[in-house]
Structure formats: C-alpha cells, structure tokens
Amino acid sequence: MQSFHPPNRVLMGPGPSDVPSRVLKAMAQPTIGHLDPAFVGMMDEIKTMLRQAFCTDNAMTFAVSAPGSAGMECCFANLVEPGDEVIVCINGVFGGRMKENVERMGGTAIVVEDNWGEPVSLDKVEAAFAANANAKLLAFVHAETSTGVRSDAKALCQLARKNGALSLVDAVTSLGGIELLVDEWGIDAIYSGTQKCLSCPPGLSPVSFSPAAADKILSRKSKVRSWFFDLSLVMAYWQGDGARTYHHTAPVNAMYGLHESLVMLHEEGLQNAWGRHADMHQKLKIGLENLGLEFVVEEQYRLPQLNAVKFPDTVTDEAAIRKDLLQQHNLEIGAGLGALAGKVWRIGLMGASASDANIDKCLSALSQVLAKQ
Ligand SMILES: *Cc1c(COP(=O)(O)O)cnc(C)c1O
C-alpha cells in the first residue's frame, strides 16, 4: 500500500463541487481539542456566519457533524413524534427520502406528488391541508437536485403557517446558490450541506430551527428516537454558555473548512454569490443549447446551480460519454437519478464550480466527446 493521491478533477456534477485551495489549506491546519477555547470561539463564528448565510436570527443554528442526509434525519427525528401527520411533497428523489424519514420516526406521511421536473404544486398542498386538519408539519425540497427544479419556498411556508403547521425545508442545494430567506419566508426547520454551493468537502450539514420549532421540540411527549440527533443533547455542546459539555467529538478539521468557506462567502457577499450562479447559468445554457441539449425543466423553475439536460437521440451510450469526460478531460458531470436515470445529465454549477473557466472547459469537452460519438 502507498499513499493515495486523487486525480485532478473538475467537478460539475450534483456535488461535491470544486473546493478552493483556501478551504483545503484551512483543513490541513493542526488538529486541536474540540473543547479548546480557540475551537469553541471558531464554532461561535461558524454559527454567526451560518445565520448570515441562512438570513436568520435563529439561536438554534449550527452544523450537524455528518453530511446533508444527516441534517435531514436530525430535523425529522426532532420534529416528528409517533402518530404525527406530516404533509410531504415529492417531486424527485429527495422528497421520497423525506417520506421515508417521517415513517421511520413513527409518523404518518400524507404525500403530495408532482411530476419529476415540475415544482411542488401550491394547490395540491392547500388541498392536502384542507383534507388533513391534524397535519402540523409541511416538508418539501426547495432545490430538487435530482431534476434541477426550484419550488416556491416562500409561498409553501406561508401555506403551512396559514394552516397552523410548521415548515421543514431541504436546502442542501439552495444554500449559497439561490435566494433563501429563512426568517422572511417563515421557514421553521432547514438543513443544508457543505459540498454543494458552499464549496466545502462533504461531511457537515448546516441546520437552523425557528423559535416555534424549538418550542415544538421542547414540548415533545416522547424522547427523540435518535440519541445522536437529539437536539436537547447536541445543543449543550453547541450552545452551553461557558460550560459546554461533551456530546461527540466534533470533526475539528472539517469545521476549519466550513469556517473558511463561510468567510469566503462573506467576502463575496451573499447576493453576489446568488448573482454569480445566475450569470453562470445563463452562459452555460447558451452553450448547452448550441450543442443540441435540451433542458428538462421549464425556464422559470430552473435552478442555476443544477442543469438537467436531455441529450440528442444520436447519443446511444450516455455512460460512455461521461466516462470519456472523466478519463480524457478530468471532468465530472452527473448522471440522471431515479426516474431520470439514463435519460439526462445533471451539470452542476455549484459554489466555486460556477466559473467562466469551468463552463468553457465543460462546453469544449462536451463538444469533443459528442462529435466523436
Ligand atoms: C445532496 C442532497 C442531499 C443529501 O446530502 P448528502 O450530503 O449527500 O447526504 C439531500 N437533499 C438534496 C436536495 C441534495 O441535493
């Protein structure tokens, strides 16, 4: 066995995205104790910068020590009790996982289904509330990475509130890439990931809970079914004033990376980051259409950071094209997922990957491999 040296790839799939060397260098710094005052001070800065990125004042804002899926499970574990009815919107892979989470926590999922590639229908959600007066939680995916569709998070959260329910939002792909206003939109629980538009390596999941969500958690009748995700225990580590207690050993160096990526987001400015993703999407769109690729999602619902495109009929072996891109051009793009497997490519413009240089590389590599087939 010898040391591992990864190849030098350009990452334009559905995540992870390219990680800037500043973030990698931050992570290569010496490990210190996870209760060291210097580390605790850095955690406080992470909380402050996450609040800015989420546009929230929520006290309960921190990073779960595991990837986005763990943030998802943390939210459902704390907000769903056995017997609870939860309206779950499914318009792609990740909505399906939300349903799975509700059921594993002992809740009943009331499913609102929409076609893959279409946003969550407000009318259907309204009807679901009308038919299920006991539903006290609405769960949906803001940016569905499996299809590249954006749902109207603001309107959905307003619907939840109007019906006396809390909202639980998957923002794994939206945070840092498109407008996301947790407080203004009235989002009650939200989870994200580091390896999409924050351009950090995978492994942490930023989350935030509104005061109403915190009340719901504090007034639970039963213990949270997961020990690791039980927020009443986790918060003693993230919040304990002066006297933080050991819960688990935080992934110290991963936190350095998140801290640095949030500093970079702060330097760029949140609005500017959203604007850059939008501009890069316009540029990529023109190039992809010139190559004969068609978007899956109607223009007004498209995510700039995840471009799902159908390839021309002349492409008989799409996997061979992705293999060529990877092996000859060091470029990773995403395959279709779930119902769209084998039918589309998913080209990511997330975080640092949303750059002129990446788009130029992607378009030139794609045109070469397409010409070959
Ligand atoms: C990537 C993703 C997840 C899961 O995040 P992991 O870090 O892979 O666990 C959840 N939801 C959406 C919308 C995603 O794009």
Side-chain angles (χ1 to χ4, degrees):
M1 284 295 172
Q2 288 176 336
S3 304
F4 176 69
H5 299 290
N8 226 332
R9 306 288 199 212
V10 171
L11 301 178
M12 296 184 74
S17 53
D18 285 344
V19 179
S21 58
R22 261 179 79 174
V23 172
L24 294 174
K25 276 193 197 130
M27 294 176 76
Q29 296 178 101
T31 302
I32 59 175
H34 72 117
L35 292 168
D36 187 309
F39 186 70
V40 169
M42 190 210 62
M43 285 168 77
D44 283 337
E45 290 180 0
I46 287 180
K47 287 199 292 186
T48 301
M49 290 190 287
L50 281 179
R51 285 190 194 105
Q52 290 165 352
F54 276 129
C55 297
T56 183
D57 293 329
N58 289 340
M60 221 188 241
T61 303
F62 66 103
V64 173
S65 298
S69 306
M72 176 187 287
E73 194 146 336
C74 177
C75 288
F76 283 99
N78 283 277
L79 286 171
V80 178
E81 288 201 74
D84 281 359
E85 290 179 18
V86 182
I87 297 178
V88 180
C89 306
I90 303 183
N91 62 339
V93 165
F94 294 100
R97 291 188 179 180
M98 287 180 141
K99 172 175 183 273
E100 187 67 26
N101 267 273
V102 168
E103 290 170 349
R104 284 178 192 231
M105 302 307 162
T108 303
I110 297 153
V111 173
V112 170
E113 271 200 280
D114 282 290
N115 290 332
W116 287 46
E118 288 173 20
V120 172
S121 150
L122 298 174
D123 290 342
K124 288 187 193 170
V125 171
E126 180 109 64
F129 272 119
N132 299 278
N134 286 332
K136 290 287 170 275
L137 187 64
L138 170 70
F140 65 90
V141 179
H142 182 208
E144 187 40 92
T145 321
S146 60
T147 64
V149 98
R150 176 200 324 230
S151 287
D152 189 344
K154 181 182 183 182
L156 286 164
C157 292
Q158 276 168 356
L159 262 183
R161 189 156 290 189
K162 200 178 91 188
N163 288 281
L166 299 178
S167 52
L168 196 174
V169 181
D170 178 322
V172 176
T173 284
S174 42
L175 182 66
I178 50 172
E179 187 181 50
L180 174 63
L181 307 172
V182 168
D183 284 1
E184 200 179 310
W185 295 353
I187 294 173
D188 289 299
I190 190 163
Y191 59 91
S192 188
T194 45
Q195 79 277 25
K196 310 235 170 157
C197 296
L198 294 182
S199 268
C200 233
L204 292 169
S205 176
V207 292
S208 186
F209 298 88
S210 73
D215 281 351
K216 156 91 186 163
I217 295 167
L218 288 175
S219 61
R220 284 179 64 102
K221 293 185 278 300
S222 59
K223 267 191 182 178
V224 170
R225 287 190 168 188
S226 155
W227 176 84
F228 188 71
F229 292 131
D230 185 340
L231 285 176
S232 63
L233 306 174
V234 177
M235 291 319 283
Y237 177 53
W238 273 91
Q239 267 183 343
D241 240 350
R244 295 191 194 221
T245 51
Y246 167 67
H247 176 261
H248 65 278
T249 309
V252 171
N253 293 54
M255 295 287 186
Y256 299 164
L258 175 58
H259 185 277
E260 189 66 15
S261 77
L262 290 169
V263 168
M264 288 178 73
L265 180 63
H266 188 79
E267 285 172 2
E268 179 175 20
L270 193 53
Q271 268 82 9
N272 294 338
W274 297 340
R276 174 170 52 83
H277 284 86
D279 293 346
M280 291 299 123
H281 164 73
Q282 286 307 323
K283 172 172 171 158
L284 179 70
K285 180 191 125 178
I286 294 166
L288 291 176
E289 286 173 349
N290 285 341
L291 289 174
L293 300 168
E294 253 177 65
F295 277 81
V296 172
V297 176
E298 230 180 279
E299 188 145 15
Q300 57 178 320
Y301 304 120
R302 271 177 215 160
L303 292 172
Q305 66 272 52
L306 196 287
N307 299 267
V309 286
K310 291 179 242 174
F311 28 79
D313 292 339
T314 48
V315 172
T316 48
D317 188 353
E318 70 85 21
I321 290 200
R322 282 185 292 107
K323 194 170 156 201
D324 271 5
L325 287 175
L326 191 68
Q327 292 184 342
Q328 284 159 31
H329 299 271
N330 272 315
L331 172 69
E332 178 178 284
I333 65 167
L337 198 60
L340 296 178
K343 298 185 182 144
V344 304
W345 290 322
R346 293 179 301 148
I347 304 177
L349 289 174
M350 299 180 175
S353 294
S355 71
D356 283 308
N358 274 23
I359 293 173
D360 293 343
K361 175 173 176 90
C362 175
L363 292 172
S364 112
L366 259 178
S367 75
Q368 286 174 50
V369 293
L370 279 169
K372 224 173 73 185
Q373 261 216 0

